[in-house]
Amino acid sequence: MAIKEVVKHPAKVLTEKCKEVTVINEEIITLLDDLYDTMVEYDGVGIAAPQINVPLRVAIVELGGERDILEMINPTILETSGSEVDIEGCLSFPNLFGEVERPTYVKIEACDREGRVYELEAGGFDARAILHEIDHLDGVLFDSKLIRVVPEEELAEMYGEEE
C-alpha cells in the first residue's frame, strides 16, 4: 500500500479507454489498496486507476453516510435514470469545480477483489461519484461535461458555513 502521485490533466493516460482486468492477482489487490491510500491522502471521494498512471478498469468510491468503500473492477453500467445538475471536482483537475449533469440513479455490475461479480444500485451523490469514476475508465473527463465553472469564491460561500 502506498500513496501515489495523482496524474493531472492533460496527461494522455487520462483520455484513453482503460484495459479490462483479465486476472485478479496481488498486483490488482495492491492497486486497490494504493488507490484507497491515495484517495484518502488527497481528500477525494473516488479515484480511478488512470489517475495514478495505471490504464486498467479499476476504481474506488466512498459510498453513503458510513463512507463504505466500493471497489470496482471492470465495472459496467447496466442502467441509469433521472437527471440532476450538481457541482463536481476532480483530483486530476486541482482547483477546478463546475456544474455537471448526471443521472440520479445508476445500476452497475463489477467484480470485487475476490473476483466475485456483483450488481449495485445507487442514487444521488453516490450515483454521481460512481459515474464520474467509470467515465475515467472510458477516458472521459469531467471538464468535457461542464455546464458552468464554479469559482472558488462561490464554493466558499456555498459550503463555508458547513465546514
Side-chain angles (χ1 to χ4, degrees):
M1 299 189 323
I3 295 165
K4 302 293 185 176
E5 183 177 341
V6 174
V7 175
K8 306 293 190 288
H9 179 267
K12 188 176 182 197
V13 70
L14 295 173
T15 58
E16 297 175 336
K17 188 170 173 79
C18 294
K19 295 179 178 83
E20 294 276 328
V21 172
T22 55
V23 175
I24 298 174
N25 53 23
E26 280 304 310
E27 182 181 318
I28 299 301
I29 304 301
T30 300
L31 173 59
L32 287 164
D33 293 339
D34 290 349
L35 285 169
Y36 176 78
D37 290 345
T38 304
M39 179 185 72
V40 169
E41 175 67 20
Y42 289 92
D43 198 26
V45 295
I47 191 169
Q51 291 182 276
I52 61 168
N53 207 29
V54 179
L56 292 174
R57 294 190 68 78
V58 178
I60 65 170
V61 175
E62 281 189 338
L63 294 180
E66 293 78 42
R67 307 317 303 161
D68 295 324
I69 301 301
L70 173 67
E71 297 179 336
M72 301 181 288
I73 301 169
N74 299 332
T76 302
I77 298 169
L78 301 176
E79 185 181 336
T80 62
S81 65
S83 179
E84 180 179 59
V85 174
D86 206 348
I87 297 172
E88 291 186 18
C90 180
L91 295 176
S92 294
F93 289 84
N95 305 314
L96 176 63
F97 299 90
E99 294 177 344
V100 175
E101 183 175 4
R102 291 203 189 266
T104 55
Y105 164 84
V106 67
K107 181 177 182 180
I108 65 163
E109 180 179 273
C111 287
D112 66 15
R113 66 173 54 214
E114 281 81 37
R116 294 181 298 240
V117 176
Y118 67 88
E119 287 187 4
L120 177 105
E121 297 178 74
F125 182 80
D126 291 343
R128 177 173 295 278
I130 290 167
L131 290 165
H132 179 110
E133 298 312 328
I134 291 175
D135 271 356
H136 272 296
L137 305 180
D138 293 328
V140 176
L141 300 176
F142 99 117
D143 71 322
S144 70
K145 296 185 173 198
L146 284 177
I147 296 168
R148 178 180 78 92
V149 172
V150 177
E152 287 187 60
E153 303 77 39
E154 187 177 331
L155 280 176
E157 288 174 22
M158 292 169 62
Y159 298 111
E161 299 86 37
E162 295 179 16
E163 293 181 15

